[in-house]
Amino acid sequence: MSVLNELQNDDKFGNSVEFSSCKQKYSSTLLSRSKVSSEINEALSLSSSQMIIRSVKRNVKKPNQISGNTLSDLNWTQSSSSYSREFCRLFTHTISSKSDMKTEIDCVRNLINLQPITPITNISNSSTLFSRLINYAIHGHLRVCHFRSICWRIFLNILPNDVSQWSKQLKKDREYFTMLNCRININPHNNHIKSDDHPLSYSRTSLWNKYFYSLKVKRLIAKDVNRTFPKVEYFHNQIIHNIMIDLLYIYTEHENISYQQGMHEILAPLLFVLHCDLTAFEHVVEMKIIPSDLWNDLNYIMNKEYFQADVYMMFAKIMNSVKNWYPQTKLSTYDHDKRIRRRTVIGLPTAITLLKSEANSTSDDPEQTRMVTNTIQNSIDNNNSKYFKIYYDNNNDELDGEDHEEIKNDSEGDEVIEKYERQNEDELKQPDCGNQHTFHFDQQEHSKHNCSGDCFLEQIHKQLLLRHNSLLYNHLKKLEISPKLFGLKWIRLLFGHEFPLQDLLYIWDCIFAINNNLAFVPYMYLSMLLRLAPTLIKYEFTECLTLLMNYPTGIDVTYLVYMALHLYKPHSYNKPSNIYDYYSIFHSITFGDDDNNNNNNNNNNNNVTNSKTNDIPDNTGCSSNDNYNYDVKTTNNDKNDSDVDNIDKIINIENSYSDSNNNVKNNPISSLPSLSNKLKSKIKNARFSNIFNSYREKTNIDNPITNTDIIKRSKTFKNRKQVMDIPKRRSLADLASSKKSIHIKSNEENIRLSDIMISTESTNNNN
Amino acid sequence: MIRKDSNIGLLFKIVLIGDSGVGKTNLRSRFTNDEFNLESKSTIGVDFATKNVKIDGKVVKAQIWDTAGQERYRAITSAYYRGAVGAILVYDISKPHTFLNLNKWLEELKEYASDDVIIMLIGNKCDLKHLRCVLTEDATRYAKQQGISFMETSALDSINVEEAFNQTIRDIYYLISKHPSFNMNETNIIPTNNLPIQEPNIKQSAKRKFCCT
């Protein structure tokens, strides 16, 4: 508790970290948005009265969904009449079902200095919530969101989809963590259980022996914790170090595994994200922007006293999947290690007595006593066999003597061999979960020695890399570059050493959103390899391995994520089109590989005809029917179809801009028929990928900005104004005139704001 | 592993081993890039760097392989030690348990590396004079018993780092040059690897012979 009280003094530190990053993001686009924000304020004020009427109708239609735990619409409408700022919240409440609108309003509110309300509490339908959160995470909108930790816990199934059950689930998890903390993290200085116990005693049931063992393990963990994210100032704090050491120690003792280097890299971003969300919540409370009903809900969720428990639950859930890639409990080859390990296990009965004493203290509540006794029985049953084995080992040690430490005896050597054989048998019986879920192939036989990620990497190379880029696969095999030399670091840290922290959090958004036992990780791995494939094929052993071990930092993360999504589900996510793709095709032709030439010809034909064929496995094009079905799944509400159609019209215009640029540059002959085809297609996800990738690649490729570039950008700005004035479709001649236009990120956001204008018009028409 | 690159004549693989936190990564970065980081991340898996060294007028390319001190696992170590002609054992003079664990690392070397690997013992962090826990005489005596060379370094102050690596590379070069099949005058000849190497896996040795021929 004292540690957490000191954390409250560091609020200013946390605030500076978070809001400075927000300022950096928005400083470049403040000028363009300040013009548009005034128009939005007018739109919001005009439509406020209509929104109130609409909310009353919604109350009449759905009376059953009103509950005391969640926000009720009646209270919402009453509070909105008294405050001018409540209009924005009400507006977001009614349109919260649309993800695109929501993100726009969040951006606008940051300009108006309003904090966004959590979209989760406003929706009772859980299926739309979960699918919408996945789209949030994939398109990178959680970077700005102040509720990232809540979204991660929903993805990891720590919090249920139903908002009303969050407090119950959190209460269970936090009580479980406090029980673990009391049982494992024992400090004899604070306890007065046994008067006979002495700090220098050598008995194995002594709490002091266990305490000194824990200090030794924590000293080992501290070596790595002190070297966590050295460039991030948040992790230079000693209080954070102590929290990390305690959480890592509790996890390793509870799971009965030894600490491995790399686990601290998994824990650190979770601390960072939760701390940012807690500081944002405290800032909102200080400003008194938040209404009282929402404060009551979030005060228990965003409670700093339970900081360690919330982080531990996320960490334990992630490590249960990542644990397969770490070496399991290692065999002890020294007698000294054996004694230490025995002490930890023998200490359990004393911990169980602690639990019994707690059960006696809570005798007033019968339910809690039952829960505590059940946990005690479970722990006794789980550890019963180990306890008796170690008791049998004690007799042997008494003959030898406690203080005498020899390296090996013959009998102990035999025991080690038997344990090793048992572990081999257990592993054959229990195959790796990772291979089952991530690949849709029959599981192959295990090798007898410990796999721990090695077989997983081999399967990625054999099943995925050989299929997508056999040239790179054969090249690495020829150079004898084993994937475990670089790949183990990638997957054990979930790409933590390869990317800066802000980009890493976006990758983890996608990994947790597609939470099928971390099914996204091998495709992200493959995407990173394919991105470097043209340069790796040229290089020899030394340059290849150096490049793979020190992944270049200039690569666009968004491209890698969208490429990985395409590799994961080719029918749902289109391949991100990029100047780089044509560059890679050009390079593959120069190598003179006939298969690649045939594939490229097929891809070019698909681009022209826009038809789908199942024969080609690398087909990147999707028909309009599939896109339409995908859109229907994401938005189940029938009322919003008209709005979606209006949005799609603008999306078509937007795609035509980006596609026309790419086609004119790369395929001058077939530019006109492809334009007509792509006007018909509705690609929702491609809009983001095209705009982001085209912007970022050009910034990488372009020389320092010249006067002609400035003139071109001003021209595009004028063209965007024309788009806002004319919402209808534009003719082919107008599209051809905009060949040389360059997409700028701020212009893309202007188009998003124009979506709001059109949606408000459509709602007025409906009313 | 003696391999001929397209540009450079000889390629020596040298591995760095030792406990976690003794300064292996900073030794490597000091030798290859002349850099020292007080804020360095923990090495996960394997790290890798190269540098060219001139010996007797000939250019030798040294591959310095760095690994995590805590990771002692067969899946990685077998690939890590394969083809290594030099090994550098590192301990921290301010932490005596890192010196006591050297026996464990030597056993690992004997198990996975070739028999004629050149071993250098390095006591790092000699700038921490007030925190010294391992005497130089004790380390020298231990090195003589094991038949390996010894040197104390400081990656922070750049003391003896260059000398330690250069001595290891020079010893490797002289060992190879003593072999009769090696012809020093003719640089075009690729030296065949006829040195007696005992590998735990027969398949790997078969592959190596195929690669050398």
Side-chain angles (χ1 to χ4, degrees), chain B residues 133-177:
Chain B
C133 296
V134 180
L135 296 178
T136 308
E137 292 81 7
D138 293 334
T140 306
R141 189 182 307 115
Y142 179 78
K144 286 182 180 178
Q145 288 176 358
Q146 300 293 330
I148 60 181
S149 57
F150 170 69
M151 196 173 286
E152 284 191 347
T153 63
S154 170
L156 178 66
D157 295 335
S158 186
I159 295 169
N160 283 339
V161 176
E162 197 82 18
E163 289 82 358
F165 281 95
N166 285 329
Q167 181 177 347
T168 305
I169 295 164
R170 196 176 298 117
D171 290 340
I172 295 164
Y173 182 81
Y174 290 152
L175 179 68
I176 292 166
S177 64

Side-chain angles (χ1 to χ4, degrees), chain B residues 1-62:
Chain B
M1 178 183 286
I2 302 166
R3 184 188 294 173
K4 186 175 183 180
D5 269 354
S6 61
N7 295 322
I8 301 166
L10 292 170
L11 181 68
F12 292 165
K13 179 176 176 179
I14 296 167
V15 295
L16 277 166
I17 53 177
D19 278 352
S20 174
V22 296
K24 299 187 290 300
T25 302
N26 274 318
L27 278 171
R28 174 186 62 75
S29 63
R30 176 66 72 188
F31 176 63
T32 57
N33 298 322
D34 199 11
E35 291 176 355
F36 183 90
N37 288 319
L38 279 173
E39 299 176 348
S40 64
K41 292 184 178 180
S42 303
T43 305
I44 306 297
V46 175
D47 204 354
F48 179 85
T50 59
K51 187 178 181 182
N52 296 326
V53 177
K54 285 187 178 179
I55 297 174
D56 290 345
K58 292 187 174 66
V59 176
V60 173
K61 189 171 191 177

Side-chain angles (χ1 to χ4, degrees), chain A residues 368-380:
Chain A
Q368 291 182 357
T369 55
R370 290 178 184 175
M371 292 177 68
V372 173
T373 53
N374 288 323
T375 56
I376 291 164
Q377 289 177 359
N378 289 323
S379 63
I380 291 166

Side-chain angles (χ1 to χ4, degrees), chain A residues 223-224 227 261 450 484 549, chain B residues 20 40 42 48 70 73 75:
Chain A
K223 284 183 184 178
D224 293 319
R227 297 188 283 181
Q261 280 178 316
N450 285 326
K484 60 193 169 187
M549 286 180 174
Chain B
S20 174
S40 64
S42 303
F48 179 85
Q70 199 190 47
Y73 190 67

Side-chain angles (χ1 to χ4, degrees), chain A residues 334-396:
Chain A
Y334 293 100
D335 191 18
H336 184 65
D337 291 330
K338 283 185 180 178
R339 290 182 182 178
I340 291 166
R341 187 168 291 183
R342 286 167 191 164
R343 289 171 186 170
T344 60
V345 180
I346 292 165
L348 280 174
T350 58
I352 292 164
T353 57
L354 286 175
L355 294 174
K356 287 181 179 178
S357 65
E358 289 179 354
N360 291 324
S361 65
T362 60
S363 62
D364 292 332
D365 294 329
E367 292 181 354
Q368 291 182 357
T369 55
R370 290 178 184 175
M371 292 177 68
V372 173
T373 53
N374 288 323
T375 56
I376 291 164
Q377 289 177 359
N378 289 323
S379 63
I380 291 166
D381 291 330
N382 288 325
N383 295 302
N384 195 3
S385 62
K386 291 181 181 178
Y387 179 72
F388 285 111
K389 287 181 182 178
I390 292 160
Y391 180 75
Y392 179 75
D393 289 334
N394 283 326
N395 292 324
N396 291 327

